Amino acid sequence: MSSPSDMSTPPDELSARAIGLFVAINRRYAGEAEAAAAAQDLTPLQAKALLATMDPVPMRAVADKLHAEPSNITAVVDRLEERGLVERRAAPGDRRVKLVAATDRGRTAIAELRAAMPFAGDPLGALGTEQREALCRLLELVVGPQERQA
Amino acid sequence: MSSPSDMSTPPDELSARAIGLFVAINRRYAGEAEAAAAAQDLTPLQAKALLATMDPVPMRAVADKLHAEPSNITAVVDRLEERGLVERRAAPGDRRVKLVAATDRGRTAIAELRAAMPFAGDPLGALGTEQREALCRLLELVVGPQERQA
DNA sequence: GCGAGGTGCTTGACATTGGCAAACATTCCA
DNA sequence: TGGAATGTTTGCCAATGTCAAGCACCTCGC
């Protein structure tokens, strides 16, 4: 849980309030995601991996999407495969590559995961269009000049 | 890393942009914190625990602050204590309680951690006062009616 | 066409984190 | 005073993360 929750460098009051709000939003998201995953008897990481396999993708792509080492993804996909949620296929054109693809059961689980994460589906639901745009502009300022990275 | 990064429920475009920005801010924070901890040869959790011990606090309080089980904090504090960054003291008034307090070396490490986390110290530095207030208002709307919780 | 080097995936060893049950001392309350 | 609750520790186990090594395969240059 790498969130600002507790790295308490004491900032000014408004910053502290903003940090608290970020943490709260993060928790709302993470809590929802964790509950949704648990309802499918999955860990959050397994759920993320499953969600990444709607279309067949190489192991490597899953690892990149989850910001994890490919070697770790092997075990995660192993568990998903044991449960029949995912299958490994040969990739046409490169026999080194294994494509991970959700099975029918996997796609059902994906649908239920998404249904159980309404906040993730519409996080800005409480905001009007102008407010959404204003929020994005402000967040961009906070992010600052960031490193480009897919 | 429980961040929205990859629980890809496909939302509308503005929401997607906002999610990306949240993730980017989270990463900026977490990356800075992780680097700061690593510079002290600490894990992020160890660093958080250390930061919580500026003043002597019961183990239980450290656990609460880090949203972890007290039983897990035992091992974390053990490592900090082995390295002389922290010490356990008896608590006056309740002989069950052990207070964890940063040593001089620990306080030095805390200062260096904070110095290495400028973004955490002033996350809204790029914003003016009105922008900060606007941001907080918008974030409060996004959080929504939240459960009260220290 | 052949070999060197790079890429994709897996395996293994290991440390850290997280949850949970059990044990122990101590405190609190009826 | 006795039973319940609290604070801390220990142990076990699953999951995650980093790292090095290995195997299969592809690619590039000669």
Side-chain angles (χ1 to χ4, degrees):
Chain A
M1 175 107 51
S2 46
S3 75
S5 18
D6 309 292
M7 280 299 209
S8 42
T9 307
D12 63 290
E13 190 186 343
L14 257 181
S15 293
R17 188 161 145 236
I19 289 179
L21 288 165
F22 269 101
V23 171
I25 291 171
N26 229 13
R27 263 201 232 303
R28 181 168 174 191
Y29 185 98
E32 179 180 274
E34 196 169 324
Q40 304 296 318
D41 198 26
L42 295 170
T43 66
L45 191 69
Q46 289 167 357
K48 288 179 190 175
L50 178 57
L51 284 168
T53 61
M54 253 319 250
D55 301 310
V57 282
M59 296 287 294
R60 178 68 197 217
V62 178
D64 286 347
K65 194 157 196 173
L66 272 55
H67 303 282
E69 299 282 329
S71 61
N72 297 322
I73 297 305
T74 297
V76 174
V77 171
D78 281 351
R79 286 173 216 128
L80 293 176
E81 196 170 26
E82 284 166 12
R83 295 187 38 192
L85 298 173
V86 138
E87 62 181 7
R88 274 180 248 236
R89 300 178 193 164
D94 190 336
R95 283 186 298 170
R96 292 171 301 179
V97 174
K98 286 175 189 164
L99 298 181
V100 193
T103 61
D104 286 342
R105 284 186 54 198
R107 272 186 289 275
T108 302
I110 288 174
E112 291 178 18
L113 282 173
R114 288 186 174 158
M117 298 194 292
F119 181 63
D122 186 20
L124 307 187
L127 272 54
T129 302
E130 287 183 20
Q131 289 175 313
R132 297 177 187 213
E133 286 168 356
L135 178 60
C136 283
R137 278 194 300 274
L138 290 169
L139 291 178
E140 272 162 6
L141 289 174
V142 174
V143 175
Q146 72 219 32
E147 322 299 325
R148 300 268 153 254
Q149 183 178 338
Chain B
M1 172 112 45
S2 46
S3 73
S5 16
D6 308 293
M7 279 299 208
S8 40
T9 306
D12 64 291
E13 191 186 343
L14 258 182
S15 292
R17 188 160 146 237
I19 288 179
L21 288 164
F22 269 101
V23 171
I25 291 172
N26 229 12
R27 264 201 232 303
R28 181 167 174 191
Y29 185 98
E32 180 180 274
E34 197 168 325
Q40 305 295 318
D41 199 26
L42 294 170
T43 66
L45 190 69
Q46 288 167 357
K48 287 180 190 175
L50 178 57
L51 285 168
T53 61
M54 253 316 251
D55 302 311
V57 284
M59 295 287 294
R60 177 68 197 218
V62 178
D64 287 346
K65 193 157 197 173
L66 272 56
H67 303 282
E69 300 282 329
S71 62
N72 296 322
I73 296 305
T74 297
V76 175
V77 170
D78 281 351
R79 285 172 217 129
L80 293 175
E81 195 170 27
E82 283 165 14
R83 296 186 37 190
L85 298 172
V86 138
E87 63 182 7
R88 274 182 248 237
R89 300 178 193 164
D94 190 336
R95 284 187 298 172
R96 291 172 302 181
V97 174
K98 286 175 189 164
L99 298 180
V100 193
T103 61
D104 287 343
R105 284 186 55 197
R107 273 186 289 274
T108 302
I110 288 174
E112 291 177 18
L113 281 174
R114 288 186 174 158
M117 296 194 293
F119 181 63
D122 186 20
L124 306 186
L127 272 53
T129 302
E130 287 182 20
Q131 290 176 312
R132 297 176 187 214
E133 287 168 355
L135 177 60
C136 284
R137 277 193 301 273
L138 290 169
L139 291 178
E140 271 161 6
L141 289 174
V142 173
V143 175
Q146 73 219 34
E147 322 299 324
R148 298 270 153 254
Q149 185 177 340

